[in-house]
Amino acid sequence: NAGVTQTPKFRILKIGQSMTLQCAQDMNHNYMYWYRQDPGMGLKLIYYSVGAGITDKGEVPNGYNVSRSTTEDFPLRLELAAPSQTSVYFCASSYSDRGEGYTFGSGTRLTVV
Amino acid sequence: GQQVMQIPQYQHVQEGEDFTTYCNSSTTLSNIQWYKQRPGGHPVFLIQLVKSGEVKKQKRLTFQFGEAKKNSSLHITATQTTDVGTYFCAGRANYGQNFVFGPGTRLSVLP
């Protein structure tokens, strides 16, 4: 099993550009999450999904969109990138919400200039 | 909303010394999790605590959940250079809610 795979690992965007961060898991996990991590600030939840076709906002959803058309994939879309979106983005998954722990991907380091 | 705090923010120890990080929540928690993130890496799940006063051990790591279920601690005995990283706690008030992560405690171990 590859676990949670994120692409790309690094990306530099210009202000106003758009991009999609890809996330795929092969563990048949129902729950998937997108977090952003800013230095010294911990992890902030952007969006999450409890299953295919179901998504919901987290703590910091503004400027982002998601979709969940399959169990495996959970892409994060950035529209009109802004410098405030410079961060490290982590995708995570879990089989349920009973607290068995999240499996995180290796992250995407995004810089908006 | 729910807030999770951790102290200290940074800790520098000599190899072989003990280390403790504390996690405090503004609300009573149903369960709490601990994660470790190596420099440049991603968070890795360590453990979950559910019961009031619960204590769990993983080799040199001891995790404790407070009696009031509003705080938790992670203690590392005789630190090693492999313990370097940031330790995060994540708690939630009720099952079905999302976990809220603390800001983490960054541990450096001097050989």
Side-chain angles (χ1 to χ4, degrees), chain B residues 31-69:
Chain B
N31 48 345
I32 193 164
Q33 298 179 344
W34 285 91
Y35 292 80
K36 176 185 178 181
Q37 183 177 25
R38 294 181 184 275
H42 58 275
V44 175
F45 174 71
L46 294 176
I47 207 160
Q48 175 174 263
L49 304 172
V50 178
K51 299 177 183 177
S52 169
E54 188 172 13
V55 177
K56 287 187 176 181
K57 293 189 176 184
Q58 291 180 348
K59 297 183 180 179
R60 295 178 294 104
L61 277 62
T62 302
F63 304 84
Q64 187 164 4
F65 204 3
E67 294 289 341
K69 300 184 75 174

Side-chain angles (χ1 to χ4, degrees), chain A residues 7 15 20 25 32 35 48 56 64 68 71 73 76 78 80 89 99 103 107 113:
Chain A
T7 56
I15 294 172
T20 299
Q25 54 89 11
M32 295 188 75
Y35 287 90
Y48 66 100
D56 209 344
Y64 307 93
R68 184 95 182 271
T71 300
D73 300 297
L76 177 71
L78 278 72
L80 300 174
Y89 292 84
T103 300
V113 297

Side-chain angles (χ1 to χ4, degrees), chain A residues 27-43:
Chain A
M27 299 173 286
N28 201 32
H29 283 177
N30 295 310
Y31 291 72
M32 295 188 75
Y33 311 84
W34 274 105
Y35 287 90
R36 60 176 288 171
Q37 183 175 37
D38 301 321
M41 298 297 291
L43 294 154

